[in-house]
Amino acid sequence: EDKVVQSPLSLVVHEGDTVTLNCSYEVTNFRSLLWYKQEKKAPTFLFMLTSSGIEKKSGRLSSILDKKELFSILNITATQTGDSAIYLCAANSNSGYALNFGKGTSLLVTP
Amino acid sequence: DGGITQSPKYLFRKEGQNVTLSCEQNLNHDAMYWYRQDPGQGLRLIYYSQIVNDFQKGDIAEGYSVSREKKESFPLTVTSAQKNPTAFYLCASRTSGRIVSGELFFGEGSRLTVL
């Protein structure tokens, strides 16, 4: 059975800290891994990773995939209160037709 | 602007009543999905549809039903058989169910509370 596991499930940091969110996956015929940010309602797309070792970057956020270890991390540097959200990781397979989501990491950034 | 519209945003119902949540997209996407989100549970797949007049059960389909009569629309009915229907429901779509590398686009969600 395919599964996606995120850790930690929740995290509280101070503004300015750097955080690393983890996502491990076991997916048959893995194709890609996606990260989403959910602040209140609709998750918004952050990154899609298909190749190992190639970092994707957007401002203070970056992510990388390790297909050998079946693992991805999402880094946020110099965190701001606006980074407070649930971060969702999802895996895509060649054989499936829907994304398989982890439980999410709830991040709270305090002033 | 293209996007996914879910309605209603908030819904209250008494136990035993069926409710239907609307999802409409104007992105010309073939594939549409319904997810349920509970606190600490992430997103769990209820039903999905790759093409008009076709849909498949997801991981937690019991107590739910869907239809896909038009490409733009994928309504979800929460029936009285669903034992714990209070949740946040998210509709999503993407270009095609067969192009599996594509990202999902989400609606704003519908929060259902059963009293």
Side-chain angles (χ1 to χ4, degrees), chain B residues 1 9 18-19 23 31-32 34 41 52 58 70 76 81-82 87 89 92 99 103 105 108-109:
Chain B
D1 278 7
K9 289 185 169 43
N18 290 358
V19 299
C23 177
M32 296 187 74
W34 275 104
Q41 290 294 319
V52 175
K70 297 188 300 182
L76 174 75
Q82 167 50 233
Y89 292 89
I99 303 176
E103 67 181 270
F105 294 83
E108 292 284 295

Side-chain angles (χ1 to χ4, degrees), chain A residues 36 38 41-42 48 92 97 99, chain B residues 33 35 37 97 100-101 104 107:
Chain A
Y36 284 84
Q38 184 181 25
K41 295 182 179 178
M48 182 167 68
N92 220 347
Y97 292 97
L99 291 179
Chain B
Y33 306 81
Y35 286 91
Q37 187 175 31
V100 296
S101 60
L104 280 179

Side-chain angles (χ1 to χ4, degrees), chain A residues 1-9 21-36 47 49 63 65 69-74 86-93 98-105, chain B residues 35 40-45 59:
Chain A
E1 185 184 326
D2 293 347
K3 64 178 180 180
V4 176
V5 179
Q6 292 186 246
S7 64
L9 291 180
L21 309 183
N22 305 301
C23 176
S24 65
Y25 63 90
E26 291 178 28
V27 172
T28 305
N29 294 324
F30 173 82
R31 169 104 180 167
S32 59
L33 190 130
L34 292 85
W35 285 96
Y36 284 84
F47 298 111
L49 305 156
S63 184
L65 176 68
E69 299 297 329
L70 310 183
F71 197 83
S72 175
I73 60 171
L74 175 68
I86 295 172
Y87 290 85
L88 297 164
C89 169
N92 220 347
S93 78
L99 291 179
N100 195 334
F101 282 86
K103 291 187 176 182
T105 293
Chain B
Y35 286 91
Q41 290 294 319
L43 302 186
R44 292 184 291 169
L45 182 65
D59 300 318

Side-chain angles (χ1 to χ4, degrees), chain B residues 49-61:
Chain B
S49 168
Q50 299 167 62
I51 200 164
V52 175
N53 292 323
D54 184 56
F55 49 82
Q56 285 79 41
K57 292 181 179 180
D59 300 318
I60 55 165

Side-chain angles (χ1 to χ4, degrees), chain B residues 73-101:
Chain B
S73 179
F74 191 41
L76 174 75
T77 296
V78 185
T79 74
S80 56
Q82 167 50 233
K83 299 203 184 318
N84 187 17
T86 294
F88 186 56
Y89 292 89
L90 281 163
C91 179
S93 71
R94 65 180 172 184
T95 307
S96 168
R98 295 187 185 279
I99 303 176
V100 296
S101 60

